[in-house]
């Protein structure tokens, strides 16, 4: 007995509704463009909330369109020919979900001011998905099989292309090509630009430091690591590109603030944003690792020198601190490149000191030793086994100030323990302390430093101990403490730090803050060297009592007699 499959002729219902919905979609897209064509891109509010649902809805049309294509291919077989009847319904679902996804995606792009090559291609192919789905629906209802399959194929292609360019925007342009066969790379790179390549000589040891091009060796790598993710050719957030010198100098289109003001770092929005507090909504970069103190310093020097594309380190002057900053940034860039190649996500520091020859290391030590002899402060190794440095200025406290502190920069990386108690160091001088990446203990008691100076210590990731006894610091220090992951003990006696605020902050982190409340009545004792006892000083341990002599074998143990009793017996 044979089985007959009845093929019903599709009914032409719903075409007017499909046309109406699609026209309404096009008008809403046009209205969104018109309403936000001159928007500053700061966004905020309900539309941002709605727009960010794009990542949720965008997956619905992707799955449905691929399902429709698979159903059409399967319906070629007699046993699956009944799927033809379901095709209009599936395409309706694909059309409606595509309309919702593109509408909220376009709103997101408009209110948050996304732009760029990858963004544009993602948008165009996304809109094309809806168009292909609309015509596929019409062909399905009209029974135009060949055209239906053609538009379904177009829908699959545009969906895949839109996803590819969306991935390049969210991740990086080489996200798909990084591990692809070389023969596929040109195909996958179509439409995407990698921008100009800079920084190739940043780690080239054959190029003397003084001759290094500042933009190529320092600025471009900093931008690549901290800014280009949101501001390159493929993703232009805020109408700003930072991936080439020309675009960086051009600044953000339509902005009231100059991104880079040659000769004036203070008026440059680039540096203003980088120096904002970490919790500020305008800080750049908004996510990930912020710019380090050395990176900000090299950018500041470059901008103040004119921000030219051909400037070299030598053009910045002959201040030794410039060389130290450049070396620190070079090491940071090299470390970042090594971690990226190894696929690691955590940052690590490369020792600048270890990159120097033994002769250069000795020259630096000799230079600082001469300064110590001249200004009467002590510099010595931590121990016989550890040649890192401990520096104490107790004997030169009345003369030791910011200028003398700057003399320690040649060996900044070697300093582990720094005692500046009762010295003349100010907030300005603490910038030099901030360049001691391995510093673990810091004494600043009875100095003139304030919250502004402590903020310059935010890069000291190894700092464990900090003494601020008798300084002008206040509650502002807690903001800096958030950047010091290894800080374990802080003394804030006789400062403007509120004890209640200190206790509250202490409970939120693994940190002991001694405000001196319980020991306020204790007067600091004079040490043998004439130095006031530090707040952290602990009483010397009492000598352990010697064990009593054991009685000789065979004799009973006799109770010990006091000297007073013995003397009375002799007198009698």
């Amino acid at each position: 007995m044979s089985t007959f499959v009845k093929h019903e002729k599709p009914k032409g219902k719903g075409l007017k509704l499909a046309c109406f919905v699609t026209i309404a979609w096009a008008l809403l897209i046009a209205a969104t463009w018109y309403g936000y064509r001159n928007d500053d891109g700061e966004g905020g509010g309900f539309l941002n909330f709605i727009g960010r649902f794009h990542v949720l809805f965008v997956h619905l049309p992707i799955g449905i369109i691929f399902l429709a294509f698979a159903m059409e291919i399967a319906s070629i077989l007699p046993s699956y020919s009944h799927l033809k009847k379901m095709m209009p319904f599936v395409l309706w679902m694909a059309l409606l979900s595509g309309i919702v996804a593109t509408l909220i995606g376009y709103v997101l792009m408009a209110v948050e001011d996304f732009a760029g090559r990858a963004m544009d291609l993602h948008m165009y192919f996304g809109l094309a998905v809806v168009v292909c789905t609309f015509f596929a629906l019409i062909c399905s209802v009209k029974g135009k099989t060949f055209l239906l399959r053609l538009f379904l194929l177009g829908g699959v292609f545009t969906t895949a292309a839109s996803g590819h360019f969306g991935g390049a925007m969210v991740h990086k342009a080489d996200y798909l090509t990084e591990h692809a066969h070389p023969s596929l790379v040109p195909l996958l790179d179509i439409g995407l630009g990698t921008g100009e390549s800079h920084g190739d000589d940043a780690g080239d040891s054959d190029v003397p430091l003084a001759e290094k091009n500042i933009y190529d060796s320092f600025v471009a790598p900093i931008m690549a690591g901290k800014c280009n993710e949101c501001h390159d050719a493929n993703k232009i957030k805020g109408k700003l590109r930072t991936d080439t010198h020309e675009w960086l100098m051009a600044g953000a289109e339509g902005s009231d603030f100059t991104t880079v003001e040659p000769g004036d770092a203070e008026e440059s929005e680039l540096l203003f944003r980088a120096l904002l507090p970490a919790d500020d909504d305008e800080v750049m970069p908004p996510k990930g690792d912020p710019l380090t103190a050395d990176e900000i310093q090299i950018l500041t020097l470059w901008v103040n020198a004119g921000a030219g594309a051909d400037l070299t380190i030598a053009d910045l002057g002959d201040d030794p601190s410039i060389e130290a900053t450049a070396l620190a940034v070079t090491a940071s860039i090299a470390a970042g490149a090594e971690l990226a190649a190894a696929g690691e996500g955590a940052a690590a520091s490369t020792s600048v000191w270890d990159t120097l020859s033994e002769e250069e290391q000795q020259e630096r030590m000799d230079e600082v030793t001469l300064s110590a002899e001249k200004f009467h402060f002590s510099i010595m190794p931590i121990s016989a086994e550890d040649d890192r440095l401990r520096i104490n200025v107790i004997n030169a406290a009345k003369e030791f100030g910011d200028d003398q502190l700057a003399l320690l920069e040649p060996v900044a990386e070697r300093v582990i323990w720094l005692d500046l108690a009762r010295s003349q160091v100010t907030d300005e001088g603490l910038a030099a302390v901030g360049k001691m990446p391995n510093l673990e203990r810091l004494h600043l008691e009875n100095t003139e430093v304030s919250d502004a100076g402590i903020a310059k210590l935010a890069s000291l990731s190894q700092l464990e101990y900090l003494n601020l006894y008798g300084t002008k610091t206040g509650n502002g220090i807690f903001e800096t403490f958030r950047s010091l992951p290894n800080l374990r003990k802080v003394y804030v006696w006789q400062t403007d730090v509120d004890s209640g605020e200190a206790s509250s902050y202490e409970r939120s982190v693994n940190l002991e803050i001694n405000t001196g409340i319980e020991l306020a009545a204790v007067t600091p004792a004079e040490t043998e060297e004439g130095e006031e006892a530090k707040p952290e000083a602990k009483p010397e341990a009492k000598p352990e009592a010697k064990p009593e002599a054991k009685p000789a074998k065979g004799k009973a143990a006799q109770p010990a007699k006091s000297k007073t009793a013995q003397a009375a017996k002799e007198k009698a």
Side-chain angles (χ1 to χ4, degrees):
M1 182 177 180
S2 61
T3 302
F4 294 94
V5 179
K6 184 177 180 181
H7 293 273
E8 296 183 4
K9 185 177 180 180
K11 299 178 180 179
K13 295 182 178 180
L15 291 184
K16 290 183 179 180
L17 179 60
C19 291
F20 173 78
V21 170
T22 305
I23 291 172
W25 163 76
L27 290 175
L28 286 172
I29 291 289
T32 304
W33 169 81
Y34 185 81
Y36 286 93
R37 67 192 188 285
N38 296 319
D39 189 67
D40 58 10
E42 293 186 2
F46 182 71
L47 287 180
N48 288 77
F49 171 73
I50 294 298
R52 293 187 178 185
F53 277 88
H54 173 69
V55 295
L56 173 63
F57 283 98
V58 76
H59 295 91
L60 294 176
I62 293 174
I64 297 174
I65 288 169
F66 277 87
L67 172 63
F69 182 74
M71 288 173 59
E72 180 60 30
I73 298 300
S75 68
I76 297 174
L77 302 174
S79 56
Y80 290 98
S81 61
H82 60 280
L83 294 177
K84 280 282 189 181
K85 295 177 63 176
M86 295 296 298
M87 188 61 69
F89 173 79
V90 174
L91 289 173
W92 260 111
M93 294 297 99
L95 178 64
L96 293 177
S97 60
I99 285 175
V100 173
T102 51
L103 272 176
I104 62 177
Y106 197 85
V107 167
L108 178 65
M109 181 191 73
V111 298
E112 297 197 3
D113 198 21
F114 285 104
R117 185 181 291 112
M119 179 70 248
D120 291 342
L121 291 172
H122 175 66
M123 177 189 68
Y124 293 141
F125 279 105
L127 297 177
V129 169
V130 176
V131 174
C132 288
T133 307
F134 169 69
F135 284 109
L137 174 59
I138 292 178
C139 293
S140 177
V141 173
K142 291 289 188 178
K144 305 294 183 181
T145 303
F146 174 77
L147 291 178
L148 168 63
R149 293 172 182 172
L150 186 63
F151 282 115
L152 279 176
L153 185 62
V156 168
F157 171 75
T158 52
T159 300
S162 181
H164 168 56
F165 293 117
M169 181 181 62
V170 174
H171 301 286
K172 292 183 179 180
D174 62 348
Y175 185 68
L176 281 181
T177 61
E178 183 178 4
H179 303 291
H181 189 277
S183 62
L184 296 176
V185 172
L187 177 63
L188 296 174
D189 270 344
I190 293 176
L192 296 176
T194 56
E196 296 181 14
S197 177
H198 295 279
D200 293 338
D201 66 332
D204 189 352
S205 59
D206 294 334
V207 179
L209 182 63
E211 298 178 12
K212 283 184 178 290
N213 180 285
I214 301 174
Y215 179 79
D216 287 342
S217 299
F218 302 98
V219 179
I222 292 172
M223 295 297 104
K226 305 293 176 68
C227 305
N228 290 358
E229 182 178 354
C230 294
H231 301 287
D232 67 357
N234 292 310
K235 183 180 181 182
I236 308 175
K237 186 75 168 66
K239 299 179 181 178
L240 171 66
R241 283 181 59 176
T242 59
D243 53 329
T244 70
H245 180 265
E246 292 76 16
W247 284 110
L248 180 62
M249 299 305 295
E253 180 183 349
S255 174
D256 295 331
F257 306 100
T258 306
T259 302
V260 175
E261 182 65 48
D264 193 345
E266 292 186 0
E267 293 298 322
S268 298
E269 186 75 359
L270 177 70
L271 288 160
F272 172 77
R273 293 287 191 96
L275 290 168
L276 288 173
D279 58 350
D280 194 291
D281 292 338
E282 301 297 326
V283 68
M284 291 296 166
K287 297 179 181 179
D289 296 330
L291 271 68
T292 66
D294 290 316
E295 289 172 339
I296 291 175
Q297 180 65 12
I298 202 73
L299 289 174
T300 301
L301 293 169
W302 177 66
V303 172
N304 285 336
D310 299 324
L311 286 174
T312 65
I313 292 296
D315 295 328
L316 300 180
D318 54 3
D319 189 331
S321 65
I322 296 175
E323 177 183 342
T325 300
L327 284 171
V329 175
T330 299
S332 177
I333 293 170
E338 291 175 2
L339 289 174
E344 297 181 24
S349 59
T350 297
S351 173
V352 177
W353 182 264
D354 291 339
T355 66
L356 304 175
S357 66
E358 292 184 4
E359 292 76 12
E360 290 175 315
Q361 292 177 357
Q362 190 59 49
E363 288 176 4
R364 292 189 175 208
M365 280 301 306
D366 292 343
E367 179 183 345
V368 176
T369 301
L370 288 175
S371 298
E373 294 175 355
K374 180 179 180 180
F375 294 102
H376 312 294
F377 63 88
S378 68
I379 177 170
M380 63 188 71
I382 294 295
S383 67
E385 296 78 21
D386 190 344
D387 62 354
R388 294 178 300 172
L389 304 176
R390 173 178 179 176
I391 296 175
N392 192 313
V393 305
I394 182 62
N395 295 324
K398 293 182 179 180
E399 295 81 22
F400 194 96
D402 296 343
D403 293 338
Q404 288 71 36
L405 186 56
L407 299 175
L408 302 178
E409 289 192 9
V411 295
E413 189 179 350
R414 306 297 294 165
V415 179
I416 302 300
W417 191 329
L418 181 62
D419 192 337
L420 301 174
R422 290 170 297 284
S423 70
Q424 310 309 306
V425 170
T426 67
D427 289 343
E428 183 178 353
L430 290 189
V433 179
K435 296 179 181 179
M436 299 178 178
N438 298 312
L439 190 65
E440 297 177 1
R441 293 178 63 88
L442 176 60
H443 290 265
L444 292 171
E445 53 265 41
N446 294 311
T447 59
E448 297 296 312
V449 301
S450 66
D451 293 358
I454 301 303
K456 298 179 181 180
L457 308 179
S459 60
L460 302 182
S461 60
Q462 302 303 315
L463 190 64
E464 299 176 1
Y465 171 97
L466 178 61
N467 197 322
L468 299 174
Y469 170 75
T471 61
K472 297 180 179 180
T473 50
N475 293 340
I477 60 177
F478 299 130
E479 182 62 35
T480 302
F481 289 174
R482 301 181 195 281
S483 304
L484 304 176
N486 288 315
L487 191 61
R488 294 293 177 265
K489 182 175 291 187
V490 179
Y491 287 90
V492 291
W493 296 15
Q494 298 184 20
T495 66
D496 293 331
V497 173
D498 180 74
S499 59
E501 187 75 16
S503 298
S504 176
Y505 182 80
E506 185 179 32
R507 287 193 297 270
S508 66
V509 295
N510 183 21
L511 174 63
E512 176 186 342
I513 302 178
N514 193 321
T515 58
I517 293 178
E518 297 179 357
L519 301 175
V522 177
T523 302
E526 294 291 325
T527 64
E528 293 182 358
E529 298 178 358
E531 176 187 0
E532 278 189 2
K534 303 282 194 305
E536 79 281 8
K538 296 180 179 180
E540 293 183 1
K542 295 181 180 180
E544 295 183 0
K546 296 182 179 180
E548 294 182 3
K550 295 181 179 180
K553 188 175 182 179
K555 295 183 179 181
Q558 299 295 326
K561 296 181 179 180
S562 67
K563 292 182 179 180
T564 303
Q566 185 68 24
K569 182 178 179 180
E570 291 176 357
K571 185 176 180 180

